[in-house]
Amino acid sequence: MAAAAGTPDGDSFLEKLTRVTLWLKKLYNGVPIPVYEVNERTVDILHEVMKCNEERDKDVMLLIEDMKDRASKYEEEADYWYNILQQTLGFFESSLSEEATNDLFDLVGSAVELEVENTSLTSFYSALNDMTSELYKTKSKNDEMEWKLKILTKKLTSALMVEKHLEEDVEKLKTSQKAEQAKDEIHSKTLKFLQDKSKDLRIRIRGAEGELIARGLNKSLTHEALMKSSEKVAALRKEIEPLKREVASYLDLPPSIRLARVKVEEAKRELKALDEELTREIEALPFELT
């Protein structure tokens, strides 16, 4: 988690986290804040929710302040007209009947609630239309805010689920890596054992050969010499095979052909020489090679 990483709107991660934490403390008002995974994605989503909530609260506070201001103005105006009615016209509340007094209070209350400039029918209709329009706008804005909040909540839930799955995958990967490391360690130990064993056997073989040679063993009987002799015998046998086939082809020639006889005799001599050389090589070995 990069603490100083910047965010698209210019605020650092720590600044957003601080504002979100203060907002949650204020929102829960002493109740413990639910535990959530602190990372850039979750903090960004909560920051957006916080901004939407603060904007709605700000609009409500402005509306309340405006209504208080208007109510104060209307009260001052009502006092002004009340004084005029009493002092100038001599109109007193006690001079009205109870029904008229109730109607007057209802009219004044309606005028205050609707925030009209006067009590004419036109003003009341205009105020009712304005209030209906304002109510519709406020409802639409609240619906939009709730829709945004619902989307952000879904995104937050999805992000938390993805994060949980990633954590599970990481744990599985760690377990798999531990198993692979254990296998690699076993293979490494086995390989080292085999290398050491091979080295030890080579040393023992050389020592045994040296000891046998010191006791009078012919060097041609050592493992290395025997391997070379075996390879040489195999090579000679391979060379004899085509000569044997060639001699066989000459033996099939008619005896009346003089040139064929000469060729056959030459091939026989060459085959005999190779055969003698092969015999000498085989006799030099202490046992028969198969």
Side-chain angles (χ1 to χ4, degrees), residues 54-156:
E54 288 179 346
E55 287 179 6
R56 184 171 63 179
D57 291 345
K58 189 183 295 183
D59 291 340
V60 173
M61 291 302 298
L62 289 174
L63 183 61
I64 292 173
E65 291 298 327
D66 183 62
M67 293 181 68
K68 286 181 178 180
D69 184 60
R70 291 190 182 186
S72 178
K73 290 180 180 179
Y74 288 139
E75 288 177 358
E76 292 177 359
E77 189 174 357
D79 291 338
Y80 170 75
W81 287 108
Y82 186 75
N83 291 332
I84 290 178
L85 288 173
Q86 283 189 340
Q87 297 176 6
T88 306
L89 302 177
F91 180 80
F92 295 95
E93 183 180 344
S94 58
S95 61
L96 296 175
S97 63
E98 182 179 355
E99 183 178 358
T101 301
N102 292 334
D103 292 339
L104 180 60
F105 276 120
D106 291 339
L107 183 63
V108 172
S110 299
V112 171
E113 290 293 333
L114 294 175
E115 302 176 354
V116 295
E117 297 181 356
N118 53 60
T119 57
S120 64
L121 190 59
T122 303
S123 297
F124 276 111
Y125 278 131
S126 177
L128 286 172
N129 289 333
D130 291 342
M131 183 171 286
T132 303
S133 177
E134 186 175 352
L135 180 62
Y136 176 76
K137 290 179 181 179
T138 303
K139 186 176 182 303
S140 298
K141 191 171 184 178
N142 287 339
D143 291 341
E144 183 180 357
M145 287 292 199
E146 289 178 0
W147 178 73
K148 288 182 178 180
L149 183 60
K150 187 179 295 184
I151 291 178
L152 290 173
T153 303
K154 288 182 179 179
K155 288 182 178 180
L156 178 59

Side-chain angles (χ1 to χ4, degrees), residues 8 20 56 59 66 78 84 100 110 151 157 166 168 196 210 227 241 243 245 247 257 275 286 288:
V20 167
R56 184 171 63 179
D59 291 340
D66 183 62
I84 290 178
S110 299
I151 291 178
T157 304
L166 287 176
E168 292 175 354
D196 293 342
M227 290 298 296
E241 287 302 323
L243 294 175
R245 287 195 297 270
V247 169
I257 301 175
D275 197 16
E288 182 180 359

